[in-house]
Each structure stands twice: as structure tokens, then as C-alpha cells.
Amino acid sequence: MNRDIKIAVIGLGYVGLPLARLFATQFSVVGFDINVPRVEALQSGMDSTLEVDAVTLQKVLVQKSSTEKGLYCTSLIADIANCNYFIVTVPTPVDKNNRPDLTPLFKSSETVGSVLKKGDVVIYESTVYPGVTEEECVPVLEKVSGLKFNVDFFAGYSPERINPGDKEHTVEKILKITSGSTPEIGQKVNELYQSVIIAGTHLAPSIKVAEAAKVIENSQRDINIAFVNELAKIFNLLDIDTAAVLKAAGTKWNFLPFKPGLVGGHCIGVDPYYLAQKAQEKGYHPEIILAGRRLNDSMGEYVASQVVKLMIKKGVTINGANLLMLGITFKENCPDVRNTKIVDVIKALEDYGIQVTIFDPWANPSEVEHEYGLKMVNKAPNNTFDAVVLGVAHAEFLDLDINSLRKNCSVLYDVKGVLTEGVDGKL
């Protein structure tokens, strides 16, 4: 069976690489990406996202595509021509107006369509709104390949559940939803994933059900976080410790343990817009989903305003003050800066005339400058600051002597609520 299956994984980012590595333990896998430097680095055994360590990656790498199990990374379309399963793992972002941008999906579908053959199966893992696979991607596959859907080729959908930086809940340890464009293909897709996912699989009755399940997973988290963010704003006005309230309420057996925070990253801050877009196309305006998004998207400015108020109370002159931002990635112990809301805090602080120094031992300075136009450092600065904001709870920051970075009347604000001493304010 393994010799008959040859898999192409389209997109070798946070989702695609761990999946390609896992499948390569059982099958012949070709990892395809248009980012040539990324492909060259991976083929040499180095993953800049740190999702797959060098030793693990090098164990599965092969120097050329073959029928034997292993992973070969390439940026040449010709190298995926002999594959019969194509798994698309490209990002699905939103544009500046928070509208779904399906461009990466369309481009990757064109790539797959150019080599698609009779009997092939195309599986999408990218987060989408219900209907995208069959109504948006399949027509591209048909047009480019000249083949007929569910006659000549087939489709499946198995949404990714990758948690960047999480070394405990890795891809093989997370239960996988699967689906297919026909009952028979659904079974084949399910069996394919069952062969490597030790946590098991759940075969959904249709592709649209699987698409909908994925998009509501993160929408649910977004709404719950929005609720506790609103509670944090209220309790701050009432001079009540939000963390203490949540700890007390958490003693009830069915209380959900969510914490306030900045909601960024590639999923939670993006996926709800995909569901909202589809609902609006059908004439329904989603109230709760978009209200949660508005509140969470406002938290960057809220944090900045709280920091400025504390600085004023301590007699710090705001215009021209210098502030140290600890962390810029979207979450702790991870180099991922996609859709990080720390940037919103920084921009708002700069609007007050504050000079912000960014220190993050995990982030790539060139990537941060390219994506956000911000300069940063990977080592702690030697000078002191009028304010220090802990934006990301990297392990390095928990061991950092933060007081050595503070002036006598400086402010220490803890966005993550993890510091125990000297904190003037927290979310």
C-alpha cells in the first residue's frame, strides 16, 4: 500500500512541514514550496520555524524523490508530477479590511491542477469557510487540469490543528477530522491519516461539515477570550483583580478557564472572519462573532492606554519617554510573528510619542522589519527605561532581572499576568 501512495505536501510552513515529516515516516513524500531559500534550508535539515528539530528532520530526508519512504523538499513543480495524493497546507489570511484572502489557495490549486492525473486525490488542510473546497478550489483544479471532479479526480478536507511552539500536542497526537468528496474517498482519506495519527481520526459526513467544524473551533475560543477581555476592562474600573475573580469562579466544575489577552496568530484572530464572510453572503449578519472580533482587536490600544495612565500617575513625561517591549511574537516560546497583536500595542504607544525598544530572543529581526517595519533586538539592552511591558511570556523573560532595566519611577505592566513582583498593572 505504501508503495502505491506518493504524497505531495504543498506549502512547507508551520502546518505543512510537520505533516510532511510525519507522513514521510511511512510514505514517499515530496514537500513543495515556492520559497526557494526555505526549501534549501529544509533540504539541508534546518527548520527556521523550529517546529521540527534538526535531528528529527534529517532522519526522514532523502536526496531525491523515489518510491521509498522519506521526504524530499523542492520548489520545482515537475518533482510533484508523479504524486497521487496532494495535500494543500498554504495559509488563508485576511486582507487589510479583514476579508478572506483565498489567493494562496487559488495559486496552489493551479499548481496542483497543472500535474493532476486521473485517480488523484487533492486534500485541503487550510482553514476556510464552508464550501471553499468544492465551490472555489475544485473549479480551479478542473479548469487547469481539464479533468472532471468526482469522475477523474477527487477531493478531501482535513483541517489542520497545529499549535505553533507546542512540543506536547504535536500533529500525530491531535485527533484529526477527515472527509472526502464521495463516501469511498472519505474512507481512503481517513485511512491515510489513520496510518500516522496515533490520536485517531473522526470521519465527517461531508467536506462542508469538516470545513465548518474547523472554522468554529477557533471562533468559539475567540468569543470566550473576548468575554474575559471585557471582564478585565470592567474589573479594572472597579479596582478588582481579574485573575483572582477567574480563580474563584473556576472552582465551579463547569466554569471555562479562559484568560484575558491579546488575540493574534494565524488562527483565532483570523478564522472568525471567514465564517462571518460566508454568513453575510447568505444575508445573515453575525452579531456575536463580529462583536468578539471587535473587542479583541481593540485590546492593543487598551493595553497602551493603561500603560500611559500608569506612567502619568508616576510622573513620567509621556512624549519622548522610552519603553521596553518584552516580546513581539504572537505567543510564548515560538518565533511565529504572524498577526501578532503586540504590534498594535507598539503602534498605539508610538502614537503617544513614546520611543519603543523591542526585545525578543525568539523572533527574527529581518522578518519583523519586513512584516511590520519595526526594528528589534535579540539581546537585552544595557540601558534603563521609563516603562517595561511584558508582552509575551517567553521562558527567558521569566528568568530576566527586569528591575535592572527600570528607572526609579518606571512602570512595569504585565500583559500575560505571569510576573509576581513589582508589577504596576496587568491585563
Side-chain angles (χ1 to χ4, degrees), residues 1 49 51 75 77 90 103 113 124 130 133 158 190 195 210 258 269 291 359 373 414:
M1 177 182 176
T49 69
E51 289 301 299
S75 56
I77 296 177
V90 296
T103 303
Y124 290 87
T133 298
S158 181
N190 194 57
S195 67
F258 286 91
F359 163 42
D414 182 6

Coordinates of all heavy atoms in Angstrom, one line a residue, residues 1 49 51 75 77 90 103 113 124 130 133 158 190 195 210 258 269 291 359 373 414:
M1 N 0.8 -1.2 0.0 CA 0.0 0.0 0.0 C 0.9 1.3 0.0 O 0.6 2.2 -0.7 CB -0.9 0.0 1.2 CG -1.8 1.3 1.3 SD -2.8 1.3 2.8 CE -3.5 2.9 2.7
T49 N 11.3 27.6 11.6 CA 10.1 27.8 12.4 C 10.3 27.0 13.7 O 9.5 27.2 14.7 CB 8.9 27.3 11.7 OG1 8.9 25.8 11.6 CG2 8.7 27.9 10.4
E51 N 9.6 24.1 14.4 CA 8.5 23.1 14.6 C 9.1 21.7 14.5 O 8.6 20.8 15.2 CB 7.4 23.3 13.6 CG 6.6 24.5 13.8 CD 5.9 24.6 15.2 OE1 5.1 23.7 15.5 OE2 6.2 25.5 16.0
S75 N 11.2 23.1 -4.9 CA 10.4 24.2 -5.4 C 10.1 24.0 -6.9 O 9.7 25.0 -7.6 CB 11.2 25.5 -5.2 OG 12.5 25.5 -5.8
I77 N 7.9 22.3 -9.8 CA 6.6 21.6 -9.9 C 6.8 20.2 -10.5 O 6.0 19.3 -10.2 CB 5.7 22.5 -10.8 CG1 5.4 23.8 -10.1 CG2 4.4 21.8 -11.2 CD1 4.5 24.8 -11.0
V90 N -1.4 25.6 2.6 CA -1.0 27.0 2.5 C -1.8 27.9 3.4 O -2.9 27.5 3.9 CB -1.2 27.6 1.0 CG1 -0.2 26.8 0.1 CG2 -2.6 27.5 0.6
T103 N -6.2 33.9 -2.2 CA -5.2 33.9 -3.2 C -4.2 32.7 -3.1 O -3.9 32.0 -4.1 CB -4.4 35.2 -3.3 OG1 -5.3 36.3 -3.5 CG2 -3.3 35.2 -4.4
G113 N -3.3 21.5 -10.1 CA -4.0 21.3 -11.3 C -3.1 21.0 -12.5 O -3.5 20.2 -13.4
Y124 N -7.4 19.4 1.2 CA -7.0 20.7 1.7 C -7.0 20.7 3.2 O -7.9 20.1 3.8 CB -8.1 21.7 1.1 CG -7.9 22.0 -0.3 CD1 -8.6 21.2 -1.3 CD2 -7.1 23.0 -0.8 CE1 -8.5 21.4 -2.6 CE2 -7.0 23.2 -2.2 CZ -7.6 22.4 -3.1 OH -7.5 22.7 -4.4
P130 N -17.2 27.2 5.0 CA -17.8 26.0 4.4 C -18.1 26.3 2.9 O -18.7 27.3 2.5 CB -19.1 25.9 5.2 CG -18.9 26.5 6.5 CD -17.9 27.6 6.2
T133 N -13.7 24.4 -0.5 CA -13.0 23.3 -1.2 C -13.7 23.0 -2.5 O -13.1 22.9 -3.6 CB -13.0 22.1 -0.3 OG1 -12.2 22.4 0.8 CG2 -12.3 20.9 -1.1
S158 N -9.2 18.0 5.5 CA -8.8 17.5 6.8 C -8.1 18.7 7.5 O -6.9 18.9 7.3 CB -7.8 16.3 6.7 OG -7.5 15.9 8.0
N190 N -9.5 9.0 5.2 CA -9.5 8.7 6.7 C -8.4 7.6 6.9 O -7.6 7.7 7.9 CB -10.8 8.2 7.1 CG -11.0 8.1 8.6 OD1 -10.8 9.1 9.3 ND2 -11.3 6.9 9.1
S195 N -3.1 6.1 9.3 CA -1.9 5.4 9.3 C -0.7 6.1 10.0 O 0.3 5.5 10.4 CB -1.4 5.1 7.8 OG -1.1 6.4 7.2
A210 N -16.8 19.2 7.7 CA -15.4 19.3 8.2 C -14.9 20.8 8.1 O -14.2 21.2 9.1 CB -14.5 18.4 7.4
F258 N -10.8 30.4 30.7 CA -10.2 31.3 29.7 C -9.6 32.5 30.5 O -10.0 32.9 31.6 CB -11.2 31.8 28.7 CG -11.6 30.8 27.7 CD1 -12.7 29.9 27.9 CD2 -10.9 30.6 26.5 CE1 -13.0 28.9 27.0 CE2 -11.2 29.7 25.6 CZ -12.3 28.8 25.9
G269 N -7.4 34.8 15.6 CA -7.7 36.2 15.2 C -8.1 36.3 13.8 O -8.5 37.4 13.3
A291 N -18.8 40.9 17.1 CA -18.6 41.7 18.4 C -17.4 41.2 19.1 O -16.6 42.0 19.6 CB -19.9 41.5 19.3
F359 N 12.5 43.9 22.4 CA 13.5 42.8 22.7 C 12.7 41.5 22.7 O 11.8 41.3 23.4 CB 14.1 43.1 24.1 CG 14.8 41.9 24.7 CD1 15.6 41.0 23.9 CD2 14.7 41.6 26.0 CE1 16.2 39.9 24.4 CE2 15.3 40.5 26.6 CZ 16.1 39.6 25.8
G373 N 7.7 46.7 9.6 CA 8.5 48.0 9.6 C 9.1 48.4 10.9 O 9.4 49.5 11.2
D414 N 2.2 44.0 33.0 CA 2.3 42.6 32.7 C 1.0 42.2 31.9 O 0.0 42.0 32.5 CB 2.4 41.8 34.0 CG 2.5 40.3 33.7 OD1 2.6 39.9 32.6 OD2 2.5 39.5 34.7

